[in-house]
C-alpha cells in the first residue's frame, strides 16, 4: 500500500480518487459513514466570491473539477453553475465588494457589479431594499449528500479500499513508515494523509503539530418545496454573519448563516441546532427573498466543523514527520475547494510538488 488516507469526507475521498488516478494504491479509513461529517452538514455552495485571495488558485482548480464531476465520477452530484449572487444593503458593504472585486481581478476572478436597477431587472423579487449586488456567473452549488459517496465509489472502482465505520486505535511512525491499528486490523504505509476534518487536530498533535482548532456547527435548514424559480445561489455582503440560500430543483429552499455557529464537543461530535436562532435567520432570509415570509421550514440540521484561529485550512506536508501530509480545518468554507484539495494533495504526494500554491496553508505557521 502506498498511502493511508484518514477521513472519508469530501477532502479524503477526492484525495483517494486522485491518488488512485495517479497510480497509487490507497486505503481510506473513516470512523463513521462516508461523507457523514462536515461534508454532509455543508450548504453546498460553490463560491469563489469573498475568499482569501491566495486561496483563489485552489478555488479555480476546484471549479474546473466541479465542471467535470459528472464525467469523472460517473454520476450526477447535482453541480449546477447557476451563478452566485451576493446582495448589498449598505454603502460599507458595497465598498467591501468593490475592494474585493478589484483585488481579486489579478487572481483571475471577474465579478460583475449590479446596481439596484440591474438587480430588479435581472432578478425580480429579490432584496427590495438592496442597493446593488455582485454576480459571479460561473459559480453555483452541488449536493453535499451525494459528492463524498460518489468520490468514494469512483475511487473503489479504481482499486481503493474504503473502510467506513472503522475505529482507529493507534498510529505509530518509524523508519519503515506508518502503522495504523484499527478495529479491522493493522494498516502499514510509507505515507499518511490526514483529512480527518474537525478531528485532524488530534492526528497532527500525535506528531508534535498542535494547531489552534475549535469545533462548531452551522445552523442549516430547508423549507417546504416551492415552484422552482431561483437559479443563482444567494447571499449578502455583510459586516457580520450574512445569511445565504439556494433553491434546489425539487423546489426546496436550503438556507444557513445569519447567526453565530454553536460550539460542538468533538467527542462524540454530535452537533445540534439552536432553535432560538431560527427567527433571526428567517428575518435575514426575508430581507433577501420576501416570498419566504409564509413558507414552512420542514427541517433543521448541523454538523461538526473544524475552525482554525486564522480561518484558513492546513494543507501540505508535515513540518515534523516525513511522509505525513495534512488537509483539514477548512473553517466552514471547504466544500467548493474539495475536489481541488484532493487533486492538489494527490499531486503533492505523488510528485513532491504542487502547481497550485499551498504555502499560506502550511501547518508550520502555527509552530512556536
Amino acid at each position: 500500500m502506498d498511502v493511508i488516507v484518514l477521513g472519508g469526507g469530501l477532502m479524503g475521498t477526492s484525495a483517494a480518487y486522485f491518488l488512485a488516478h495517479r497510480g497509487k494504491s490507497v486505503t481510506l479509513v473513516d470512523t463513521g459513514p462516508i461523507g457523514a461529517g462536515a461534508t454532509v452538514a455543508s450548504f453546498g455552495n460553490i463560491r469563489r466570491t469573498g475568499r482569501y485571495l491566495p486561496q483563489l488558485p485552489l478555488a479555480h482548480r476546484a471549479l474546473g473539477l466541479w465542471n467535470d464531476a459528472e464525467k469523472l465520477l460517473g454520476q450526477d452530484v447535482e453541480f449546477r453553475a447557476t451563478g452566485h449572487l451576493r446582495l448589498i444593503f449598505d454603502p460599507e458593504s458595497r465598498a467591501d465588494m468593490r475592494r474585493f472585486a478589484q483585488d481579486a481581478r489579478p487572481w483571475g476572478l471577474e465579478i460583475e457589479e449590479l446596481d439596484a436597477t440591474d438587480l430588479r431587472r435581472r432578478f425580480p423579487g429579490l432584496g427590495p431594499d438592496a442597493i446593488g449586488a455582485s454576480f459571479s456567473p460561473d459559480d453555483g452549488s452541488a449536493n453535499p449528500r451525494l459528492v463524498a459517496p460518489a468520490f468514494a465509489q469512483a475511487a473503489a472502482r479504481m482499486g481503493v479500499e474504503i473502510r467506513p465505520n472503522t475505529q482507529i486505535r493507534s498510529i505509530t511512525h518509524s523508519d519503515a513508515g506508518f502503522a495504523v491499528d484499527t478495529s479491522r486490523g493493522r494498516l502499514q504505509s510509507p505515507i499518511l494523509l490526514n483529512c480527518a476534518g474537525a478531528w485532524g487536530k488530534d492526528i497532527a498533535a500525535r506528531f508534535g503539530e498542535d494547531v489552534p482548532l475549535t469545533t462548531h456547527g452551522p445552523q442549516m435548514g430547508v423549507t417546504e418545496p416551492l415552484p422552482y424559480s431561483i437559479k443563482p445561489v444567494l447571499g449578502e455582503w455583510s459586516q457580520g454573519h450574512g445569511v445565504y440560500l439556494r433553491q434546489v430543483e425539487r423546489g426546496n429552499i436550503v438556507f444557513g448563516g445569519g447567526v453565530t455557529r454553536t460550539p460542538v464537543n468533538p467527542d462524540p461530535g454530535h452537533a445540534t441546532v439552536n432553535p432560538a436562532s431560527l427567527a433571526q435567520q428567517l428575518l435575514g432570509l426575508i430581507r433577501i427573498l420576501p416570498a419566504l415570509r409564509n413558507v414552512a421550514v420542514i427541517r433543521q440540521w448541523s454538523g461538526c466543523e473544524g475552525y482554525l484561529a486564522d480561518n484558513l485550512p492546513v494543507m501540505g506536508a508535515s513540518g515534523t514527520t516525513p511522509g505525513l501530509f495534512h488537509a483539514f480545518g477548512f473553517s466552514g468554507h471547504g466544500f467548493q475547494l474539495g475536489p481541488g484539495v484532493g487533486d492538489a494533495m494527490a499531486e503533492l504526494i505523488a510528485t513532491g510538488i504542487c502547481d497550485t500554491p499551498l504555502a499560506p496553508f502550511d501547518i508550520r505557521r502555527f509552530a512556536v
Side-chain angles (χ1 to χ4, degrees):
M1 186 193 321
D2 297 318
V3 185
I4 299 169
V5 177
L6 301 181
L10 177 53
M11 311 306 176
T13 56
S14 63
Y17 171 85
F18 288 114
L19 282 163
H21 189 71
R22 290 178 175 271
K24 300 296 182 182
S25 59
V26 182
T27 297
L28 181 147
V29 179
D30 196 293
T31 58
I34 296 300
T39 299
V40 78
S42 169
F43 174 67
N45 205 357
I46 310 297
R47 169 190 64 83
R48 292 171 298 163
T49 304
R51 287 196 176 274
Y52 175 62
L53 293 173
Q55 203 175 65
L56 282 176
L58 183 61
H60 296 327
R61 181 174 188 154
L63 184 60
L65 294 166
W66 280 113
N67 278 291
D68 288 338
E70 186 168 358
K71 180 175 66 176
L72 290 172
L73 302 177
Q75 60 179 289
D76 180 14
V77 294
E78 298 181 7
F79 169 68
R80 303 291 185 266
T82 53
H84 187 270
L85 184 71
R86 205 165 180 178
L87 275 62
I88 302 166
F89 290 98
D90 56 77
E92 293 79 12
S93 296
R94 180 164 57 194
D96 285 347
M97 184 279 293
R98 288 175 174 172
R99 188 161 43 245
F100 178 82
Q102 180 178 353
D103 293 344
R105 192 168 293 115
W107 293 88
L109 177 60
E110 292 288 340
I111 297 174
E112 181 181 359
E113 179 179 352
L114 309 182
D115 63 21
T117 301
D118 293 332
L119 176 63
R120 310 280 181 270
R121 176 177 54 84
R122 293 175 59 177
F123 302 101
L126 299 181
D129 298 327
I131 62 173
S134 67
F135 187 55
S136 179
D138 297 325
D139 292 330
S141 64
N143 190 329
R145 296 180 177 277
L146 298 179
V147 66
F151 266 111
Q153 292 159 16
R157 292 193 294 270
M158 299 174 69
V160 174
E161 184 178 357
I162 307 292
R163 294 191 181 187
N165 303 307
T166 302
Q167 302 306 306
I168 297 172
R169 293 172 174 162
S170 69
I171 305 174
T172 57
H173 179 258
S174 67
D175 291 342
F178 296 89
V180 180
D181 285 310
T182 79
S183 56
R184 295 174 60 186
R186 169 173 279 207
L187 301 171
Q188 292 181 293
S189 172
I191 296 174
L192 181 70
L193 174 56
N194 172 19
C195 294
W199 298 270
K201 171 185 170 72
D202 298 334
I203 305 299
R206 296 175 191 231
F207 299 96
E209 296 184 294
D210 197 15
V211 296
L213 182 144
T214 56
T215 47
H216 301 269
Q219 299 277 101
M220 306 300 301
V222 64
T223 74
E224 62 183 317
L226 304 169
Y228 181 59
S229 61
I230 305 166
K231 291 189 176 180
V233 177
L234 305 179
E236 63 177 312
W237 288 91
S238 172
Q239 311 304 303
H241 299 281
V243 296
Y244 41 83
L245 64 141
R246 63 185 179 94
Q247 187 173 30
V248 301
E249 291 169 355
R250 293 174 293 280
N252 308 78
I253 304 287
V254 182
F255 64 86
V259 296
T260 302
R261 296 176 177 90
T262 55
V264 178
N265 185 342
D267 184 15
H270 297 157
T272 58
V273 297
N274 178 6
S277 298
L278 180 59
Q280 183 179 343
Q281 279 187 310
L282 294 178
L283 287 174
L285 294 172
I286 291 168
R287 191 184 193 195
I288 291 178
L289 183 59
L292 291 178
R293 185 175 300 276
N294 297 314
V295 174
V297 174
I298 61 174
R299 186 167 68 89
Q300 292 182 269
W301 70 93
S302 186
C304 187
E305 298 176 330
Y307 289 79
L308 284 156
D310 57 6
N311 283 320
L312 297 176
V314 164
M315 279 186 70
S318 165
T320 64
T321 309
L324 175 63
F325 295 83
H326 302 292
F328 70 91
F330 285 85
S331 305
H333 57 257
F335 187 78
Q336 190 275 344
L337 301 174
V341 171
D343 192 31
M345 294 306 299
E347 180 188 11
L348 179 62
I349 290 169
T351 69
I353 59 173
C354 183
D355 286 342
T356 300
L358 301 180
F361 319 120
D362 195 306
I363 196 168
R364 285 168 286 194
R365 72 185 188 271
F366 298 116
V368 294

